[in-house]
Amino acid sequence: MSETRIDHDRLFKELLSTFFEEFVLLFFPHVHEQIDFHYLSFLSEEVLTDVTAGEKHRVDLLVETKLRGEDGLIVVHIEHQSYIQSSFSERMFIYFSRLFQKHRRRILPIAIFSYDAIRDEPSSFTVSFPFLTVLDFRFLTVELSKLPWRTYIRHDNPVAAALLSKMGYNEEEKVEVKKEFLRMLTRLELDEARQRLLFGFFETYLRLSEEEEVRLRDEVKTMEEKEAAKVMELIVSYEQKGMEKGIEKGMEKGMEKAKLDVAKRMLAKGFDADTIHELTGLPLETIEQLKP
C-alpha cells in the first residue's frame, strides 16, 4: 500500500452516497424490495463521543428513507470498518443506541468490513444471563475479503465494479480483476464524473505494476474487436488524464518553488514580510520560516 495515508472513510462514503440504491440492491436484495428509493435524503454528519474510550467517532453514512407502503421514516446507518477491531459489534450497538436516542426512528444498521484479513466477523451484540437475554442486537454485514470476485463481474452494478478491488483475489489474478473491472465500466456507460469516481476508487486499492499493465493490454487485445476497442479507449483516456494531472502538479510545484526563491531574494534585500506576502501570495508563516 502507498505510504500516503488513504482516507478510506471518505472514499467509501463517496461511493455509497453516489450509488446507494445500487449498493443495497447488490448486497441486500431482500432489503431493496422493501425500500422506497423515491424518498431518499442523506443526513448531516453525526459525531458520537465515546467517553469511556476517550474517542470521537464520525458516523460514515446516515440515509433517511421510507419503506414501501408505509408513512413512517427509517434511517439506514452504514458503518465502514477498514481495520480489525475486536469490540466492533459492541461499538455498533453504542452507535445505534445514540442514533436512536436522537432520531427516535427505526434504524437499519449495516457494517462493511474492508480490511484484507479473512476472519469471521460477528453480526450481533448480546447481553445475557443464564436466566435472561437482556439484549440481542443484530446488524447486516458485508465482508469484502470473503467475497468471490468472479461472481460479481456478472452484475452490471457500479458498486460491484468498484469493490472488485477489495474482494478476495490473489496476486496472480490482479490483471484479470482489472480487465473485468474495465469491461464492466464500458458496459455501465456512466457519465464522466461517476466513471472517474469508480476508476479512482478501484485504482486506490488495486494498482498494477508496469509489467502487469503490459500484460493487461495483451489480454485486452484477445477480446472481441468492438469490446477491445472500448476498453483500450478507456485505458488510454485515463493514462492521458494521469499524465495531465502529473504535468499540472509539476507546474504547481515549479511555481511554488519560484515564489519561494523570489521571497528569499526579497528578504535578502530588506523587504518586510507583509510586502512579500502581498506580492507573492505566500503565507506569512512560510515567509517567516525563510528568514535566516
Side-chain angles (χ1 to χ4, degrees):
M1 194 67 71
S2 167
E3 290 180 8
T4 306
R5 186 180 177 276
I6 296 172
D7 190 346
H8 301 282
D9 294 342
R10 182 189 62 77
L11 283 167
F12 272 81
K13 184 174 182 177
E14 195 173 354
L15 177 70
L16 299 180
S17 59
T18 304
F19 300 106
F20 175 71
E21 182 176 356
E22 291 86 346
F23 164 74
V24 176
L25 176 62
L26 181 66
F27 293 116
F28 309 108
H30 60 296
V31 175
H32 184 272
E33 290 175 4
Q34 301 297 323
I35 291 181
D36 180 1
F37 289 94
H38 292 101
Y39 185 94
L40 204 65
S41 63
F42 295 91
L43 302 181
S44 59
E45 193 174 67
E46 299 273 1
V47 178
L48 305 177
T49 303
D50 188 335
V51 178
T52 306
E55 298 174 353
K56 283 187 177 180
H57 172 80
R58 294 183 184 277
V59 172
D60 288 342
L61 201 64
L62 276 178
V63 187
E64 188 178 71
T65 186
K66 290 184 176 184
L67 293 182
R68 295 185 193 277
E70 291 192 20
D71 292 331
L73 298 172
I74 66 165
V75 175
V76 181
H77 163 215
I78 299 176
E79 193 68 29
H80 160 246
Q81 185 72 355
S82 61
Y83 58 94
I84 294 172
Q85 185 181 33
S86 58
S87 60
F88 181 74
S89 59
E90 180 182 333
R91 291 287 185 92
M92 274 294 279
F93 169 67
I94 292 170
Y95 301 156
F96 172 88
S97 59
R98 300 264 175 86
L99 291 170
F100 183 78
Q101 185 178 24
K102 178 176 180 178
H103 295 279
R104 296 290 175 173
R105 293 175 189 156
R106 288 179 294 180
I107 297 174
L108 176 65
I110 301 173
I112 304 171
F113 299 97
S114 67
Y115 46 72
D116 297 332
I118 296 177
R119 51 181 273 156
D120 293 323
E121 283 289 351
S123 58
S124 64
F125 175 66
T126 306
V127 176
S128 64
F129 296 92
F131 50 82
L132 178 68
T133 299
V134 176
L135 173 70
D136 187 11
F137 169 71
R138 299 176 181 274
F139 50 96
L140 298 174
T141 62
V142 179
E143 296 181 63
L144 293 174
S145 62
K146 294 169 78 171
L147 300 180
W149 67 272
R150 292 180 191 278
T151 301
Y152 289 87
I153 62 177
R154 302 187 186 99
H155 296 264
D156 285 338
N157 184 307
V159 176
L163 292 180
L164 286 181
S165 60
K166 293 298 293 176
M167 292 184 186
Y169 58 84
N170 57 48
E171 283 294 309
E172 290 72 32
E173 294 175 318
K174 282 171 64 181
V175 172
E176 192 177 355
V177 174
K178 184 166 182 179
K179 180 184 74 174
E180 294 300 336
F181 163 73
L182 292 168
R183 293 176 76 178
M184 292 174 76
L185 216 53
T186 58
R187 292 198 305 268
L188 288 167
E189 298 182 344
L190 300 169
D191 59 72
E192 187 181 352
R194 293 186 177 205
Q195 192 180 82
R196 193 185 302 124
L197 167 60
L198 297 184
F199 205 98
F201 186 100
F202 184 91
E203 288 272 297
T204 298
Y205 294 109
L206 195 160
R207 192 174 289 276
L208 301 183
S209 66
E210 288 184 19
E211 182 185 337
E212 288 168 332
E213 287 288 354
V214 172
R215 278 175 48 208
L216 172 64
R217 287 170 179 265
D218 289 341
E219 290 198 18
V220 169
K221 289 173 186 175
T222 64
M223 293 179 188
E224 184 270 326
E225 188 176 349
K226 283 185 179 178
E227 186 180 34
K230 284 183 180 179
V231 172
M232 194 59 75
E233 184 182 343
L234 199 59
I235 293 172
V236 172
S237 169
Y238 276 92
E239 280 182 352
Q240 287 175 342
K241 284 172 186 169
M243 286 171 64
E244 287 167 8
K245 194 173 179 183
I247 291 168
E248 191 179 311
K249 220 172 192 178
M251 287 173 67
E252 284 175 8
K253 282 184 179 177
M255 288 171 67
E256 190 68 18
K257 186 178 184 303
K259 285 182 183 180
L260 292 170
D261 290 341
V262 169
K264 284 177 184 176
R265 288 199 297 272
M266 290 179 76
L267 283 169
K269 289 183 178 182
F271 284 86
D272 62 85
D274 288 330
T275 302
I276 297 171
H277 165 67
E278 187 179 339
L279 293 173
T280 65
L282 288 170
L284 287 169
E285 295 83 1
T286 302
I287 296 166
E288 291 294 333
Q289 289 170 5
L290 293 174
K291 288 181 178 180

